[in-house]
Amino acid sequence: MAHIFFDHISTTPLDPRVFEEMKPYFLEWYGNPSSHIHDQGQAALKAVDAARTRVAGLIHARPQEIVFTSGATEANNLAIKGAAEAYEKRGRHIVVSEVEHFSVMNALLPLRNRGYEVTPLKVDSDGKADPEDVRRAIRPDTILVSVMHANSEIGTIEPVAEIGRIAREREVLFHTDATASAGHIPLDVEAAGADLVTLSAHNFYGPKGVGALYVREGVRLASQIDGGFQERGFRAGTENVPGIAGMGAAAAIAKEEMAPWAGKLRRLGKRLWDGIGATVSHLHFTGHPVDRLPGHVSFWVEYAEGESLLLFLNVHGVMAASGSACSSNLRGRDEEDLVASPVLRAIGVPSDICTGSITFSLGKGNTEEEVDSVLRVLPVIAKRLWEMSPTYLDYQKQKVQGGG
Amino acid sequence: MAGPYSAKVMDHFMNPRNVGEIENADGVGEVGNPACGDMMRLYVKVEEGRISDAKFRTFGCGAAIASSSMLTEMIKGKTVDEARAITNRHVADALDGLPPVKIHCSVMAEEAVKAALDDYARKHPG
């Protein structure tokens, strides 16, 4: 059976070259970077330092500004809670776009409970925040603005440079979550005016379980994990040396190959976009048509529920994601978890439709043939679900009655 | 690969039984709401107090479609009273279980048969 992975926004396969660079740090060089007085520790420390330089290079930062974490969720927590606590005396107001990842949104909850105020930043129907809204939302007691670089669900790239400029003018910290974009489109921390940037290794062909937070020199953060003095005191705990070495290797490869990857993905993405637009009726694309992640195609189909689409796609060997109420929380604890995607709600997709959204996210290994396979099966799947749907039946009857 | 669902759920999702509608049905029940992610319409034909035919159309996830399909299989041949006694637990068990977060899909099936039989009772008083 076909094995077509179109869910690179959830994770990417490890690049074999990255795996090769990680290998020595499992069996041969297993030292602890903090024990660098001996050869084992020294080898580990060198690996971590080399990786720090490479990750910094990906976003035009300085090596000492990279703090390794267990992933993007921890980096987002450290950025939001760490900055809020460190700058509490200056103010307790935070501005955040309403399409942020759960690891930003939910990191705000304990802060709200402690009296911090959060102003949500609206996005337009393409999912874009307006920098002028940021200007209007900033108050004298605002300490942090957080707007993601690109949205995983709908692919839209946010105007971070303009937002960063406004935040800097007003002397407010600017955090951007670049989990979905880093390694795929260029990001320059200077150009973006960013003080804090979240990165995730497994989203650009690196290993899972490792990420980083860029912390501009001079920015203070309250550590969120108490312990030793690793990572300049920002993040206690023995470093994940093989993971960090892998993140460094993945960053170096991405820096070199990002442009050709993006070129290929834009071509494949256009083929997919144009193809499904032409062959599947009642289909609505989501996100910005131009300012979007390369190879990212997201849409919803009327009269077809998202999880059912995903299940049928998987039967055909096609793996994709959904912002569906049902599928995204399939392993949730109870029915309370069945909520429509906040991102789709934010862009104004009607709530009875929110359950139908699909995200195809292509990667560097995908091919034209795979795109064409998906184009063959998707119309068949949609038709099959429509034929089962009472709402589609009603629509057809109305059409006949209306003579249309 | 079955994913999060039992093989039986996947079978009923992939090959749903009794999809469609019944012209001049004796009872029609519609429950759920597309806004909540699922909606089911159940048609029943009743002859001499027994459900002689049942068809459905469902908008929803895999569990919703499988629950609808299983329900139609379960009620066919049953008396009205027997069909009324079917609970969501019966439907879920017949599917070899549903993930906890999907139990509401079997509840929808139970509500659909009750709604269809209420409609039947209204149309056929006495």
Side-chain angles (χ1 to χ4, degrees), chain A residues 38-50:
Chain A
H38 55 60
D39 289 0
Q40 271 292 347
Q42 191 59 230
L45 180 63
K46 277 195 176 139
V48 171
D49 281 346

Side-chain angles (χ1 to χ4, degrees), chain A residues 324-361:
Chain A
S324 152
C326 281
S327 70
S328 59
N329 292 296
L330 194 53
R331 298 174 71 185
R333 286 182 301 277
D334 52 47
E335 289 168 30
E336 296 292 304
D337 294 333
L338 289 175
V339 288
S341 154
V343 175
L344 296 180
R345 261 184 303 174
I347 61 172
V349 176
S351 62
D352 58 335
I353 305 294
C354 280
T355 51
S357 122
I358 296 290
T359 296
F360 287 135
S361 46

Side-chain angles (χ1 to χ4, degrees), chain A residues 228-250:
Chain A
F229 304 96
Q230 293 88 352
E231 300 299 300
R232 288 194 293 140
F234 285 125
R235 202 277 184 181
T238 297
E239 298 86 342
N240 170 6
V241 179
I244 289 170
M247 185 170 189

